[in-house]
Amino acid sequence: MQRKVLVAGAQGVIGRAAAIRLAAQPETTVLGLSRRTEPAIPNVEAVSVDLLDPARVRESLGEVRDVTHIVFGAYIEKQTAAEKSTVNVAILRNLLDVVEETSPGLRHVTFYQGGKAYGADLGPFKTPAREDDPRLMPPNFYYDQEDLLRERQKGKDWSFTALRPEAVCGFAIGNPMNLLTVIAVYAAISKELGIPLRFPGTEAAYRALYQVSSADILAEAADWAGTTPAARNEIFNITNGDYFRWQHMWPRIARMFGMDWADPIPMPLATYMTDKGPLWDRMTKRYGLQPIPYDKVASWPFGDFIFASGFDNISSTIKARQAGFQACIDTEDMFRNQFRHLSDLKVIPLVP
């Protein structure tokens, strides 16, 4: 069956992976929506649009017809929870206002939530987290986007699916929440300085159980959700399918870069890495890397947040398995493969 998919936030780590996955499927046309249209995504038509401006959304998409699926990975960062809800509900509403009008054959909307639905950003929470766990005190833009979709979907033929990953790992430029590039750039700079790779977070975080989500696994889940009746109007936790402790994973990551490692030291990356721009510029020239601005290649505050979370962060993926989604990956293999991919893309120096 023919699909025409709008991927909102196509230049982000989630949206880019989804667009690449969907564009490779038969009988599928993909339009990538983003304020930026570079770097280009193979076989994806780039559409520059500011989803926060209703008039611009209509101007950019008003002539686009026959959309069957929306994959909504767009996100706008704001300081407060209330501000996040206001703007992130608005961009979803603005897109739906146009697509529902121009594409009456719309069949499915996939959107993304995450650990904040369980309070992972607030402190220790019930684990393993399940999709039927009760909501927290609002505002929470995940809940507000979900409520918008549930209300608009009533009496209509289209359905939605919410996917809940944790610490998505993949490639995107300027993405504020990308753990992969934080680790990769931190390791590359440490190696260049001739120092061992130290875990820069707390002892508690070093020993806590954690999980991550491969952007590729998440993209596969978006593809699955849009065509699977069991996913209609449901929420699913989507992670790699395993758990780990940094105390065991960190030495293995060091070996992936051909480095020694040392005992963890709580070292705020936002303090100690922000002055490394000139060094990164020299490394870019020395190793022939992509000329990505240093402030766009990694988000140190996000790394600090993850590496200071001194409590278990695990969620159950049983519901997705029971609904038919079986994709998984060993997280050590994911890190190894993705570091090599970043090296192949000339984002970081050669990985042994």
Side-chain angles (χ1 to χ4, degrees):
M1 185 178 294
Q2 291 280 347
R3 288 188 295 180
K4 188 172 187 177
V5 187
L6 295 185
V7 178
Q11 290 296 337
V13 63
I14 291 176
R16 183 178 179 84
I20 291 171
R21 163 81 188 193
L22 291 163
Q25 305 309 305
E27 300 184 318
T28 302
T29 301
V30 179
L31 281 71
L33 313 183
S34 181
R35 282 173 289 187
R36 295 182 288 116
T37 58
E38 296 292 337
I41 304 173
N43 303 312
V44 174
E45 179 182 345
V47 179
S48 177
V49 59
D50 181 358
L51 293 176
L52 199 53
D53 185 336
R56 291 290 302 276
V57 177
R58 188 165 296 278
E59 176 185 335
S60 299
L61 299 175
E63 299 303 317
V64 176
R65 299 286 191 270
D66 302 320
V67 172
T68 60
H69 293 72
I70 296 173
V71 175
F72 193 84
Y75 170 73
I76 297 176
E77 176 66 18
K78 290 293 182 182
Q79 287 293 318
T80 69
E83 290 174 314
K84 288 178 184 177
S85 280
T86 298
V87 298
N88 286 290
V89 170
I91 59 177
L92 176 57
R93 180 187 296 112
N94 292 342
L95 182 59
L96 287 172
D97 284 346
V98 174
V99 175
E100 282 198 287
E101 178 183 318
T102 60
S103 299
L106 179 67
R107 299 201 296 266
H108 191 266
V109 178
T110 299
F111 73 112
Y112 301 90
Q113 299 183 335
K116 292 185 181 70
Y118 302 122
D121 58 323
L122 303 176
F125 60 98
K126 169 190 163 291
T127 56
R130 289 169 43 110
E131 296 87 346
D132 57 1
D133 287 343
R135 286 185 173 188
L136 305 172
M137 178 71 71
N140 185 310
F141 79 90
Y142 293 154
Y143 305 156
D144 294 336
Q145 286 184 330
E146 180 185 336
D147 291 344
L148 171 68
L149 288 168
R150 289 191 185 278
E151 183 61 31
R152 291 189 70 140
Q153 187 266 344
K154 289 179 180 177
K156 297 177 181 176
D157 292 334
W158 60 268
S159 60
F160 68 86
T161 303
L163 304 179
R164 290 180 176 173
E166 173 61 33
V168 179
C169 294
F171 171 65
I173 296 173
N175 189 276
M177 293 182 288
N178 189 346
L179 184 61
L180 181 77
T181 53
V182 167
I183 297 174
V185 175
Y186 172 62
I189 289 176
S190 296
K191 186 172 184 178
E192 188 73 6
L193 293 172
I195 59 178
L197 188 65
R198 290 185 184 272
F199 181 77
T202 65
E203 184 73 21
Y206 196 55
R207 301 187 183 282
L209 278 173
Y210 195 53
Q211 61 185 352
V212 298
S213 300
S214 162
D216 296 331
I217 294 289
L218 193 57
E220 189 172 344
D223 188 6
W224 166 82
T227 58
T228 302
R232 289 176 58 91
N233 303 333
E234 294 289 349
I235 301 170
F236 297 103
N237 294 327
I238 302 293
T239 66
N240 286 355
D242 62 358
Y243 311 119
F244 65 92
R245 301 181 198 275
W246 289 114
Q247 70 181 105
H248 305 307
M249 185 65 72
W250 203 256
R252 298 180 183 194
I253 289 175
R255 286 195 291 268
M256 293 174 197
F257 285 87
M259 298 175 64
D260 293 327
W261 65 94
D263 292 338
I265 293 290
M267 181 187 65
L269 297 174
T271 299
Y272 285 90
M273 298 303 293
T274 51
D275 69 334
K276 302 301 189 293
L279 173 59
W280 187 254
D281 290 342
R282 294 194 297 272
M283 291 172 63
T284 297
K285 293 177 182 178
R286 178 179 179 183
Y287 298 108
L289 305 181
Q290 290 190 43
I292 302 171
Y294 183 65
D295 63 348
K296 301 295 184 184
V297 76
S299 174
W300 305 119
F302 180 67
D304 287 336
F305 169 74
I306 297 297
F307 296 143
S309 298
F311 47 86
D312 291 349
N313 182 331
I314 58 176
S315 55
S316 170
T317 57
I318 292 298
K319 182 180 177 182
R321 309 293 178 220
Q322 291 174 334
F325 184 72
Q326 306 297 331
C328 60
I329 187 172
D330 181 277
T331 295
E332 181 180 350
D333 291 340
M334 180 211 73
F335 277 128
R336 181 181 297 105
N337 295 340
Q338 291 196 353
F339 290 144
R340 287 174 176 166
H341 183 57
L342 290 180
S343 179
D344 291 342
L345 292 173
K346 298 292 185 180
V347 176
I348 60 173
L350 181 66
V351 174

